[in-house]
Amino acid sequence: YPLLQKKMLLKKTVEVSSKHLTHGVAPVLLASFLSGLAGALSQKNLQGSNSRNSYFFTMELCMATTIMLVITSLTSSDSSSSPTNFEHWTPTTIIPILTNAAGGILVGLVTKHAGSVKKGFALIFGLLISGILQATLKSDDGLQKEHIIGGILASISLYLHGTNPYVAPLTTADAKKKKE
């Protein structure tokens, strides 16, 4: 009987750890990869010699998102997600929509003028500040070891990026000028 309990516990542990990978680690890694790719592609489109207007770029992303949401709503079997279901809307419902739109425009401007890496560091710093504020204002929880480890990792990444800036390789024209 105790041997059977140990086998069941081991089987349950294996199920939990496989769910941990498929429902936790893998989606986060995929989301991080896609976020970095989207940031790099956005920065490439917004900066450089043939850069695009960040307002139009934001509107294009908004239209693509709207089209995908409408398609998802139309193909969904859930009737409550119908795109014509606005009966529960109030005048205050527009507030998060407008703040999200303003945030999208600001993200486009920051990406255009500062780049996606600096935007990412600003995001990390904002999360660090909000974590510290949450820990101090909610005194019942306090700082947990995950908060401290995350803060240390964020600080290390900021330090490494600040002390080892990217140096563009010399072009042939730059190399000739340097020799002269």
Side-chain angles (χ1 to χ4, degrees), residues 135-153:
T136 56
L137 296 177
K138 285 185 160 185
S139 60
D140 55 338
D141 290 342
L143 282 175
Q144 297 174 354
K145 67 178 178 179
E146 291 87 0
H147 298 131
I148 295 169
I149 292 170
I152 290 170
L153 289 173

Side-chain angles (χ1 to χ4, degrees), residues 24-111:
V25 176
V28 167
L29 289 175
L30 180 64
S32 297
F33 170 74
L34 292 175
S35 175
L37 180 64
L41 292 174
S42 297
Q43 183 175 346
K44 183 179 179 194
N45 281 319
L46 292 172
Q47 293 179 342
S49 60
N50 51 352
S51 64
R52 301 180 51 202
N53 186 322
S54 61
Y55 296 107
F56 288 131
F57 185 71
T58 301
M59 285 190 272
E60 290 169 355
L61 291 176
C62 176
M63 289 304 299
T65 302
T66 302
I67 290 168
M68 295 307 277
L69 284 173
V70 168
I71 290 170
T72 303
S73 295
L74 292 175
T75 59
S76 174
S77 62
D78 184 17
S79 62
S80 67
S81 66
S82 173
T84 60
N85 190 7
F86 296 112
E87 68 230 20
H88 299 293
W89 282 42
T90 64
T92 57
T93 306
I94 199 75
I95 294 171
I97 296 169
L98 293 177
T99 55
N100 193 14
I105 291 170
L106 288 174
V107 165
L109 290 171
V110 168
T111 303

Side-chain angles (χ1 to χ4, degrees), residues 166-180:
Y166 173 74
V167 178
L170 291 175
T171 62
T172 53
D174 291 337
K176 287 179 183 177
K177 286 181 184 177
K178 193 173 182 182
K179 287 182 182 180
E180 295 173 356

